[in-house]
């Protein structure tokens, strides 16, 4: 692959996360701005509960450069409204300078709100405990509050100004055990324009990211002389039963794209595949146990038990077929996958692993947790759940424990194109299958089924890459010399 295409591929992957963050953030702000009441406040109800004397927020920083034009300051006019909806007793709500609040709560045990996840009908709150032993002094006697309210139905409204501020909820008498429901409202004219701007930027960044990924990946099949250049839609001939992997790697992953895919079936295939998901859950549990058995065998004998190996290959084969049909494998066929562990040359997706006659005894102890670690990082990005926290400064996170990730996003783009155009983008097919090939190579290596280290390489397309034919050394030219003349005696 040429350096320019490698750079395009890397930049494309790096742009996916911020693009998703801007898109989700813009949608969240736009929805928030659209749900305003008659006074222009976007509100949500937050249930707070703490066994301590107080609940506080992270410092709220609101700073405007003194040289900023007045129209910008007016546009950033931000009002906060907090009302006590319900409480076990009289509740005090106040906003004060962060430094003064910290001094007041020095030595007092309290909970600090770390994250508020807004959901339908309310919000979930995550706290961080602040240790202490003293009892809080009654808040009403403090003079540093810039806005406050006390009692059932109490409500404060505060216009944000320069500085660092902290919001506090406590019982009016400073006693332990704060339980209350608050209605928190935000009024800002800039929410909708900022939200729409973020949506637009998110769409543009995602479009650029997908373009760069497809552009960078597409070059590999044209630039690499040792990669099969058969079209993605070609019916790649394979043996009647794939007895062993061919090509440059012992893990062989094949896929054929159906010539006439349904525009809409991909929307429901995941539901149709639920019986397979149930069976695979049980098969993968057995897969894990048998991998441990195989590891012990390799450690003492250097061999992988053949029966265990064939079963585990069958589980991977079944998983690849289901993935290719319904989820992140590419939704490249409408043909329902068989309930079978054995090879099926007629099905458009298949997988095989060449049986290793001998495996390293030492590698069995380190390759699944240490040597494969760099690949796990890649797989976490490809398959992890990308999450966005709209009310927390952490922004976008990747949860590596499951989900769809970048690979799922590519398949979603493919499905949308298929839905509206009726055609499957061939370059995306090559890329998605190549990414899945990478994933199954890592799984096979971590499951001790091969000692061949997974390459950091995208071998794209439905057929396995084949090595170039061996080059014969050039035959040296032959020179014919005329016979030597005899000299008369």
């Amino acid at each position: 692959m040429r350096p320019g295409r490698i750079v395009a591929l890397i930049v494309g992957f790096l742009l996916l996360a911020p693009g998703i963050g801007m898109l989700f953030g813009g949608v969240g702000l736009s929805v928030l701005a659209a749900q305003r009441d008659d006074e222009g406040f976007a509100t949500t109800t937050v249930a707070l509960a703490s066994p301590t004397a107080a609940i506080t927020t992270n410092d709220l920083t609101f700073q405007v450069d003194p040289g900023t034009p007045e129209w910008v300051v007016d546009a950033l006019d931000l009002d906060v409204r907090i009302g006590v909806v319900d409480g076990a007793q009289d509740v005090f709500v106040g906003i004060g300078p962060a430094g003064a609040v910290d001094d007041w709560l020095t030595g007092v045990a309290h909970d600090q709100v770390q994250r508020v996840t807004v959901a339908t009908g309310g919000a979930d709150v995550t706290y961080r405990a602040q240790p202490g032993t003293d009892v809080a002094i009654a808040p009403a006697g403090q003079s540093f509050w810039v806005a406050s309210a006390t009692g059932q139905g109490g409500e404060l409204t505060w216009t944000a100004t320069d500085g660092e501020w902290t919001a506090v909820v406590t019982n009016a008498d400073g006693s332990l055990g704060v339980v209350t429901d608050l209605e928190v409202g935000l009024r800002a004219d800039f929410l909708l324009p900022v939200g729409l701007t973020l949506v637009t930027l998110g769409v543009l960044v995602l479009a650029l990211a997908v373009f760069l990924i497809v552009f960078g990946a597409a070059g590999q099949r044209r630039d690499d002389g040792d990669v099969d250049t058969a079209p993605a839609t070609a019916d790649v001939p394979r043996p009647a039963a794939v007895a062993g992997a061919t090509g440059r790697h012992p893990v062989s992953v094949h896929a054929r794209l159906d010539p006439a895919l349904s525009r809409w079936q991909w929307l429901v295939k995941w539901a149709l595949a639920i019986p397979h998901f149930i069976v695979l859950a049980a098969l993968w549990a057995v897969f894990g146990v048998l991998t441990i058995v195989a590891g012990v065998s390799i450690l003492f004998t250097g061999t992988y038990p053949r029966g265990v190996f064939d079963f585990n290959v069958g589980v991977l084969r079944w998983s690849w077929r289901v993935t290719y049909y319904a989820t992140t494998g590419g939704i490249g066929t409408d043909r329902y996958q068989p309930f079978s562990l054995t090879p099926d040359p007629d099905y458009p997706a298949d997988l095989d692993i060449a049986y290793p006659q001998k495996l390293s005894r030492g590698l069995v102890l380190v390759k699944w947790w240490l040597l494969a670690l760099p690949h796990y990082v890649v797989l976490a990005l490809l398959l992890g759940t990308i999450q966005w926290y709209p009310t927390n400064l952490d922004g976008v996170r990747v949860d590596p424990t499951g989900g769809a990730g970048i690979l799922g996003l590519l398949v979603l783009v493919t499905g949308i194109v298929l839905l509206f155009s009726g055609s499957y983008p061939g370059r995306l097919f090559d890329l998605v299958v190549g990414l899945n090939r990478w994933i199954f190579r890592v799984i096979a290596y971590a499951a001790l089924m091969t000692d061949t280290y997974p390459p950091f390489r995208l071998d794209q397309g439905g057929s396995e890459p084949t090595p170039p034919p061996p080059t014969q050394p050039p035959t040296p030219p032959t020179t014919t010399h005329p016979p030597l003349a005899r000299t008369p005696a």
Side-chain angles (χ1 to χ4, degrees):
M1 183 182 287
R2 295 173 183 171
R5 296 189 182 274
I6 295 176
V7 172
L9 196 62
I10 294 173
V11 172
F13 278 123
L14 292 177
L15 287 177
L16 280 176
I20 293 172
M22 286 187 286
L23 180 61
F24 286 0
V27 171
L29 289 177
S30 300
V31 171
L32 188 64
Q35 295 177 342
R36 292 180 289 185
D37 58 19
D38 295 338
E39 297 181 15
F41 283 92
T43 62
T44 186
T45 301
V46 182
L48 299 177
S50 171
T52 65
I55 299 173
T56 66
T57 64
N58 279 317
D59 293 346
L60 307 173
T61 303
F62 189 81
Q63 295 179 339
V64 178
D65 184 6
T68 303
E70 186 175 351
W71 67 270
V72 175
V73 178
D74 294 338
L76 294 177
D77 187 26
L78 179 66
D79 294 327
V80 178
R81 185 179 69 191
I82 303 176
V84 180
V85 179
D86 188 21
Q89 53 182 302
D90 283 348
V91 174
F92 174 89
V93 181
I95 296 176
V101 173
D102 289 343
D103 291 340
W104 174 56
L105 291 176
T106 299
V108 177
H110 60 281
D111 285 334
Q112 186 180 68
V113 174
Q114 293 300 297
R115 179 177 298 120
V116 178
T117 304
V118 179
T120 303
D124 295 328
V125 184
T126 302
Y127 304 95
R128 183 173 66 184
Q130 305 296 316
T133 57
D134 297 341
V135 177
I137 302 173
Q142 308 305 311
S143 59
F144 51 75
W145 306 111
V146 295
S148 63
T150 305
Q152 301 290 336
E155 181 179 281
L156 69 82
T157 301
W158 172 66
T159 300
T161 57
D162 279 5
E164 293 186 357
W165 309 93
T166 299
V168 179
V169 182
T170 183
N171 293 325
D173 58 1
S175 60
L176 300 178
V178 181
V179 179
T180 185
D181 291 344
L182 299 181
E183 185 180 74
V184 181
L186 187 68
R187 180 171 61 192
D189 294 336
F190 64 84
L191 282 182
L192 184 58
V194 171
L196 295 177
T197 301
L198 286 176
V199 169
T200 303
L201 290 176
V203 170
L204 293 176
V205 171
L206 284 177
L208 177 61
V210 172
F211 169 78
L212 290 175
I213 291 172
V214 175
F215 171 78
Q220 181 166 333
R221 293 182 66 86
R222 293 196 298 266
D223 298 339
D224 292 352
D226 58 347
V227 177
D228 180 18
T229 57
T233 57
D235 188 353
V236 180
R238 289 182 284 124
V242 187
T246 59
R248 298 179 296 181
H249 195 276
V251 180
S252 175
V253 177
H254 297 275
R256 298 194 305 271
L257 186 62
D258 281 358
L261 284 171
S262 167
R263 290 173 179 253
W264 58 269
Q265 274 194 33
W266 65 274
L267 294 169
V268 297
K269 285 178 181 177
W270 64 270
L272 300 177
I274 287 177
H276 286 275
F277 296 148
I278 296 173
V279 175
L280 282 174
L283 290 177
W284 274 97
V286 178
F287 181 97
V289 174
L290 292 181
T291 298
I292 297 174
V293 173
V296 174
S297 174
I298 297 169
L299 186 61
F300 288 98
T301 68
T303 60
Y304 201 119
R306 186 57 190 257
V308 174
F309 184 87
D310 290 342
F311 176 86
N312 283 355
V313 171
V315 174
L316 294 178
R317 178 182 295 118
W318 195 332
S319 301
W320 166 232
R321 289 170 179 166
V322 175
T323 302
Y324 182 67
Y325 169 79
T327 59
T328 54
I331 55 175
T333 180
D334 291 338
R335 180 179 169 184
Y336 201 69
Q337 62 278 11
F339 286 83
S340 172
L341 297 170
T342 59
D344 183 356
D346 294 330
Y347 193 76
D350 211 348
L351 177 147
D352 193 56
I353 303 175
Y355 178 72
Q357 298 296 330
K358 202 71 175 175
L359 290 168
S360 169
R361 299 186 184 188
L363 285 180
V364 72
L365 299 174
V366 295
K367 63 183 179 182
W368 62 272
W369 67 273
L370 178 62
L371 300 182
L373 188 60
H375 285 282
Y376 294 158
V377 176
V378 177
L379 264 60
L381 183 61
L382 292 177
L383 297 174
T385 302
I386 300 176
Q387 300 173 336
W388 176 71
Y389 298 97
T391 57
N392 192 54
L393 296 179
D394 292 348
V396 175
R397 289 182 175 182
V398 176
D399 178 8
T401 58
I406 291 174
L407 187 56
L409 180 64
L410 293 176
V411 174
L412 177 61
V413 171
T414 299
I416 294 173
V417 173
L418 179 63
L419 181 65
F420 288 99
S421 71
S423 62
Y424 194 113
R427 292 301 181 187
L428 278 181
F429 171 83
D430 291 343
L431 178 58
V432 169
V433 175
L435 291 172
N436 278 278
R437 185 172 286 120
W438 189 336
I439 291 169
F440 278 100
R441 286 173 177 174
V442 175
I443 294 175
Y445 182 78
L448 315 177
M449 304 176 77
T450 177
D451 282 343
T452 303
Y453 194 73
F456 285 90
R457 181 182 67 234
L458 278 176
D459 289 333
Q460 300 180 70
S463 59
E464 280 286 336
T466 55
T471 55
Q472 298 293 335
T475 303
T478 57
T479 303
T480 302
H481 298 281
L484 295 176
R486 295 179 177 272
T487 302

